[in-house]
Amino acid sequence: MTFTSNRRQLLIGAAATLALPAYIRRANAQSAVRIAGVHNSPVENAWNSRIHLAFQEAAASGLITYEFSEGVAPTDYPRAMREYAESGVDLVWGESYAVEREAREVAADYPDTAFLMGSSGGPEGDNFGVFGTRNHEAAYLAGMLAGTMSESNVFGSVGGFPIPEVNLLINAFRAGVTEVNPDATFLNAFLGAWFDPARAKEAALAQIDAGADILFGERIGTADAAEERGVKAIGSLIDYTPRYPGTVFANAIWNYGPTIEAIVADVQAGKPVGRDYTEYSFMAYGGNELIYVAEDVPADAIAPMEARQAQIKSGEWDVPINNDEPA
């Protein structure tokens, strides 16, 4: 292939494979699914890193093989998809938010190849599946903790773009805050970029100057401002606590493994993949979770949050989905 963007391939050596349990080797040796990932952002970006890690773990288990390109601009995106499809991969993974029409056209041209795209639209045909990011349940629970901790009663958030997946996450955080603190007020900023830590920090500093003392960081860089000014922050998608000890007290974690397992099972079974795989990001499947530092949270805030968490996991209560753009 001639595609020249930053392209890498994950290779699992014989020693690593033999280190796996025998039953995993037997189960997967015959049917590893070949997957190619087309990442618009660097794989170090929080959202992409969660997906990248899950693919690496699936490859290490022998479930799949995984190769990928990162930093692929929208103008090059359809070409990258086509070249992977031409190479014979079983599944092309990607993020079609900026190239919805073009991505669907590519999938239509390769009906024997499965496609799974992060998308704000629905599935199409038999081979174009979609997924949305859903760590909103964990964000809600983080909001419940945060709502008891603010001294200013002002809560900030910094997002990438006002697409439904981001809007619902920030709105879920706000709803969690409001459950325990109905008098809370909120600030928000969108960067117009998925990966720009410097701009995220600037936006967060502006919110701190406006009175916010707890920030929800949908984008990397938010916690840098919180650390600099001595306020608290909540991380999204990945665990930021080791990087910002004493600043980040909770994280709304997204686990992509259940989504991979679901579509790989469909591919192996020869089933159409033209469906919405978003449900596998829900807490009931292990697709998202809240982690927090108990010592940094008021003790009396934990029991109500855990009670609500149990209701979410059991299906007794659903976190409201609000896709409206937060002001």
Side-chain angles (χ1 to χ4, degrees), residues 25 32 51 59 67 72 95 110 112 129 140 178 182 190 193 210 283 299 307 327:
R25 299 202 306 272
I51 295 163
E67 54 194 294
V72 182
E95 43 190 300
Y110 297 92
D112 295 329
Y140 185 97
T178 303
F190 287 111
M283 200 168 277

Side-chain angles (χ1 to χ4, degrees), residues 137 255 258-259 261 278-288 313:
E137 295 162 316
N255 298 319
T259 302
E261 292 172 3
T278 300
E279 65 180 296
Y280 299 100
S281 287
F282 280 69
M283 200 168 277
Y285 289 94
N288 76 98
K313 288 182 175 181

